[in-house]
Amino acid sequence: MAKVLVIAEHLGGTLNASTARTVSAAQALSPESIDIAVLAADPSAVAAEAAQIAGVARVLAVANAANAQPVAQVLAPQVAKLAEGYSHVVLPSTTFGKDLAPCVAALLGVAQVSDLMAVEGAHVFKRPIYAGNAIITVEAPADRTVVATVRTASWPEAAKGGGGAVEAVTVDATLPTHTRYVGLAAGKSDRPDLQSAKRVVSGGRGVGSKENFETIYKFADRLGAAVGASRAAVDAGYVPNELQVGQTGKIIAPELYVAIGISGAIQHLTGIKDAGTIVAINKDGDAPIFEVADIGLVGDLFTLLPELENQLQ
């Protein structure tokens, strides 16, 4: 039977919700056991959090000063060593997972399975191609370790209430010296994280300017939502790149997605197709976004948003 090792994503001593979603995908394999590996300078807090995920047998806590930052080239040799004895190594298909998984697969000498969205068998999976317009079935060799990234938008978070054992593990791996951590440049915000938020408000080219985008921020704060944007809004300089939602941005699956001034290009729709309820506000009644929206409002966003805010008070 399958034995699965999930590589935890965490930042600032907090476990990312993508890890619980990855565990859900691991559970679909009907494995003999699911373990989570936490690599950090001090993994204790994150490991304790990971142990609470239902279905997890063990949490392997790997403490190493070199793991203070999630540098793929540093983590990969350790993950490859941990992979011994496991049939599957799975990671979330986030920036973290997309960076680390190819390095692990290369060290193990296997081909990576990307964006796993459904499990047909222990070595047979479904994944999207052509911007999500087609789904293909892929089969990994049964005699090799499977290294896969999980399309987190396609899986729910695994329940809490587990009681996995936390084990301190020492990994004897040669770490590279040619790669080193220099610094991290990231925008700071009190709003929820875009990739794991349950509510997201996004603005598009129709917002008109960087200054006008303050309207989007204000409305998102009213809903307690994260803020996103279309590629057109990012390219126009209204917002930074990390807010981009879509095929070339972040793939998300919030319970509520509000698209404001977004026409609905296919690359954007790819990023929101798994959202629970989609609300669209656009003055063009023929915009493609209305074809996928559960609720559509046709009109000037600068007139409609203040009215909506008044209703929310």
Side-chain angles (χ1 to χ4, degrees):
M1 292 183 68
K3 290 187 66 177
V4 183
L5 180 65
V6 174
I7 309 303
E9 177 177 4
H10 57 91
L11 185 65
T14 302
L15 190 69
N16 192 291
S18 64
T19 303
R21 292 177 181 270
T22 304
V23 170
S24 284
Q27 290 171 341
L29 292 163
S30 299
E32 176 185 338
S33 64
I34 299 173
D35 295 344
I36 296 180
V38 178
L39 294 86
D42 179 4
S44 55
V46 178
E49 193 176 352
Q52 296 176 16
I53 299 176
V56 173
R58 296 187 303 162
V59 177
L60 309 180
V62 182
N64 191 325
N67 297 337
Q69 302 297 334
V71 179
Q73 288 71 21
V74 173
L75 299 181
Q78 300 172 75
V79 174
K81 284 285 186 180
L82 290 170
E84 296 175 4
Y86 290 95
S87 59
H88 297 69
V89 178
V90 293
L91 305 89
S93 189
T94 56
T95 302
F96 167 79
K98 290 177 180 178
D99 191 30
L100 178 55
C103 299
V104 174
L107 289 173
L108 295 177
V110 299
Q112 174 189 320
V113 179
S114 301
D115 283 339
L116 186 156
M117 64 182 299
V119 173
E120 300 289 301
H123 294 83
V124 182
F125 315 102
K126 289 187 180 295
R127 65 176 300 266
I129 59 172
Y130 300 131
N133 288 303
I135 307 299
I136 62 169
T137 301
V138 296
E139 183 172 359
D143 60 344
R144 308 295 296 275
T145 303
V146 175
V147 177
T149 58
V150 171
R151 183 183 172 96
T152 53
S154 299
W155 301 90
E157 289 184 34
K160 293 185 178 181
V166 178
E167 298 182 13
V169 176
T170 300
V171 179
D172 183 17
T174 302
L175 304 185
T177 57
H178 64 281
T179 301
R180 65 187 186 279
Y181 175 79
V182 175
L184 174 66
K188 294 183 179 180
S189 174
D190 293 329
R191 298 183 180 89
D193 173 66
L194 175 58
Q195 206 143 23
S196 59
K198 298 191 182 302
R199 300 175 183 176
V200 175
V201 175
S202 284
R205 193 201 309 271
V207 176
S209 69
K210 182 177 181 179
E211 292 71 26
N212 287 346
F213 220 88
E214 289 299 323
T215 305
I216 305 299
Y217 289 124
K218 183 179 178 183
F219 187 67
D221 290 341
R222 175 68 68 184
L223 292 176
V227 174
S230 68
R231 179 172 180 172
V234 172
D235 289 347
Y238 300 169
V239 291
N241 178 264
E242 63 259 26
L243 297 188
Q244 184 173 321
V245 173
Q247 181 185 4
T248 53
K250 291 180 171 66
I251 308 295
I252 60 175
E255 295 175 0
L256 172 66
Y257 185 77
V258 184
I260 302 172
I262 296 175
S263 62
I266 186 62
Q267 89 89 26
H268 186 78
L269 299 182
T270 297
I272 64 170
K273 63 186 303 182
D274 294 307
T277 299
I278 299 175
V279 178
I281 300 175
N282 200 298
K283 65 181 179 181
D284 179 5
D286 295 323
I289 190 71
F290 288 119
E291 296 178 11
V292 299
D294 299 287
I295 302 171
L297 296 175
V298 179
D300 188 328
L301 67 91
F302 298 107
T303 299
L304 292 175
L305 285 186
E307 293 178 1
L308 286 173
E309 284 188 49
N310 288 335
Q311 294 295 322
L312 291 170
Q313 287 181 348

